Amino acid sequence: MPEVLFKVDLKKPFTEQDVVGHNRWHPDIPAVVSVNPGDVFRIECKDWTDGQIGNNDSSDDVRDVDLSVVHVLSGPIHVNGAEPGDILVVDLLDVGTLPDYEWGFTGIFARENGGGFLTDHYPIAQKAIWDIQGIYTKSRHIPDVKFAGIPHPGLIGCAPSHELLAKWNKREAELVASGGPVWKPEIPALAELPNPKNAILGSLKGAEYDRVAKEAARTVPPREHGGNCDIKNLSKGSRIYFPIYVEGAKLSMGDTHFSQGDGEISFCGAIEMAGYIDLHVELIKGGVEKYALTNPIFKPGPVEPRYSEYLVFEGISVDEFTGKQYYLDAHVAYRRACLNAIEYFKKFGYTGEQIYLLLGSAPCEGRISGIVDIPNACCTIAVPTAIFERNVLPT
């Protein structure tokens, strides 16, 4: 087993760990450990909520989760020799559960507390607990379903520079000030702006803590540095190329998932878990300019569930409530595809909430199938039929 450079005690909150990570992005958060290019090491991670969700049958913890705490991240890791303009090459050698904690959860967040992709249809908090057995998982809350997972970090990235951080905060504040799209009044929030409440900033204290807490970006969205991309195929065997913005790169990670469907549609839609990540790092000096890197790129690994038969549900960019036509709107089209899948599987004895949870957590394949045929975008979601232990085919 590789040397564990960041260890977590799942019985303690993040602020009481022997080594404290962080839950905001800022270049001045101190690194907790240093590694050399070529090193192989293990990083342990708590689940993204810092243990707020329990292995039980009540959805109250999902309803009441404090989102100012998220995401708790392991790091930053200083890579010796890394400089702005270099590329950090990260190999994900392995991703797995921690001993005695072989379970995970999927949640539908309440409209008043984060919401999700289909909040206007499913505004009430719900939860599914998953028992993880090797590569497979089942849930007592979604019967007759079993599938192989695709473990991955939902969130991984390098620290931003001061200039990049300022750019993030400016553009996201402008979005919030704009009021957003008038056709989507049920959106709980347009963006999560810097918020000092419950900010965890490593070893920073006093005036430095106060300054950074006011400036630091929330970890909710993906950005130029990577971050919370929630890409299910970023699994074991993958190689990621990150642009570096600060000396030492300051790599951090967390939000480990056992499995996820494309889009992670219920917001807490993956099978969230505490876990470990084994990594190998290298540097490409001057790689950002050499390869015109704006966002990370990655090469997927060879390990993923191999399902061969799917039911594929289409959606177009027409509002399901009003019938209003939208112009090549992939967001509306993917929502319609997911809603079509939910309505279909309800005919086989499932509730809408169960299938909503399943589409976010099982290895479903989402696609933009057509983006040029005016006025409709066409999106699809493909659900592997072999995950069901009951017949779900039309007859």
Side-chain angles (χ1 to χ4, degrees):
M1 185 181 82
E3 181 182 3
V4 181
L5 298 186
F6 192 102
K7 191 170 182 61
V8 297
D9 183 341
L10 299 183
K11 297 178 181 178
K12 295 180 180 180
F14 218 51
T15 53
E16 297 179 12
Q17 301 290 319
D18 292 340
V19 178
V20 178
H22 61 107
N23 64 355
R24 303 289 193 270
W25 290 115
H26 196 286
D28 295 339
I29 298 173
V32 298
V33 68
S34 295
V35 299
N36 292 315
D39 283 355
V40 173
F41 52 93
R42 173 169 291 189
I43 300 295
E44 294 182 353
C45 304
K46 293 197 72 177
D47 81 79
W48 73 294
T49 72
D50 195 17
Q52 294 184 65
I53 310 302
N55 186 350
N56 54 53
D57 298 327
S58 171
S59 299
D60 290 353
D61 48 10
V62 172
R63 180 196 64 199
D64 300 333
V65 67
D66 187 346
L67 291 176
S68 69
V69 173
V70 304
H71 300 74
V72 290
L73 303 181
S74 299
I77 301 160
H78 184 282
V79 180
N80 295 326
E83 299 175 304
D86 295 343
I87 287 176
L88 180 64
V89 183
V90 177
D91 292 314
L92 301 181
L93 304 179
D94 197 9
V95 185
T97 58
L98 294 176
D100 301 322
Y101 287 87
E102 295 178 326
W103 65 277
F105 62 91
T106 304
I108 298 172
F109 273 41
R111 182 198 300 273
E112 299 78 17
N113 193 27
F117 191 48
L118 304 178
T119 295
D120 36 1
H121 294 268
Y122 299 100
I124 299 172
Q126 298 287 331
K127 182 173 74 177
I129 297 295
W130 300 88
D131 296 315
I132 298 169
Q133 299 176 331
I135 67 169
Y136 293 104
T137 189
K138 297 185 71 171
S139 173
R140 61 185 180 268
H141 298 119
I142 307 176
D144 296 333
V145 166
K146 178 180 179 180
F147 54 85
I150 181 167
H152 59 279
L155 195 160
I156 183 170
C158 296
S161 64
H162 286 95
E163 294 77 14
L164 184 58
L165 175 64
K167 182 185 295 185
W168 294 350
N169 287 340
K170 179 177 184 293
R171 72 191 185 200
E172 291 172 20
E174 289 173 349
L175 174 64
V176 171
S178 75
V182 295
W183 57 271
K184 196 71 174 166
E186 72 277 6
I187 293 176
L190 292 169
E192 292 292 340
L193 302 180
N195 179 6
K197 179 184 177 184
N198 289 320
I200 303 172
L201 305 173
S203 60
L204 288 182
K205 298 183 184 303
E208 270 297 275
Y209 173 93
D210 292 339
R211 175 185 66 83
V212 171
K214 292 177 182 178
E215 300 171 354
R218 297 300 305 276
T219 58
V220 177
R223 298 184 178 97
E224 290 89 338
H225 69 147
N228 192 31
C229 294
D230 290 317
I231 300 171
K232 77 178 194 309
N233 299 95
L234 203 65
S235 188
K236 60 180 69 177
S238 295
R239 168 167 282 195
I240 319 168
Y241 302 87
F242 289 105
I244 294 174
Y245 302 98
V246 299
E247 183 180 351
K250 291 189 173 180
L251 176 71
S252 298
M253 66 208 70
D255 189 27
T256 41
H257 298 165
F258 179 75
S259 180
Q260 183 197 299
D262 283 334
E264 198 190 12
I265 61 172
S266 71
F267 180 49
C268 182
I271 298 180
E272 310 284 350
M273 68 175 189
Y276 69 85
I277 307 171
D278 292 344
L279 307 104
H280 164 261
V281 295
E282 295 284 359
L283 292 173
I284 299 176
K285 302 298 292 182
V288 168
E289 181 178 359
K290 182 177 180 180
Y291 295 107
L293 205 65
T294 301
N295 296 74
I297 60 176
F298 75 98
K299 180 182 178 183
V303 181
E304 64 179 13
R306 295 294 183 184
Y307 291 107
S308 59
E309 296 183 356
Y310 294 82
L311 278 176
V312 182
F313 298 87
E314 299 180 13
I316 57 174
S317 44
V318 175
D319 186 86
E320 67 272 20
F321 292 116
T322 66
K324 181 178 179 180
Q325 177 74 63
Y326 289 99
Y327 178 74
L328 298 178
D329 192 320
H331 183 277
V332 174
Y334 196 58
R335 185 175 77 222
R336 293 301 304 271
C338 293
L339 288 168
N340 289 341
I342 289 170
E343 290 304 311
Y344 176 86
F345 287 113
K346 283 168 64 176
K347 301 298 184 181
F348 295 86
Y350 292 101
T351 67
E353 289 82 0
Q354 286 174 325
I355 299 302
Y356 187 16
L357 290 163
L358 185 64
L359 295 181
S361 57
C364 300
E365 301 288 330
R367 297 284 186 274
I368 296 177
S369 300
I371 201 68
V372 296
D373 298 317
I374 59 173
N376 276 324
C378 179
C379 289
T380 59
I381 185 166
V383 183
T385 56
I387 70 175
F388 294 96
E389 295 175 339
R390 63 179 71 166
N391 183 13
V392 293
L393 297 175
T395 57

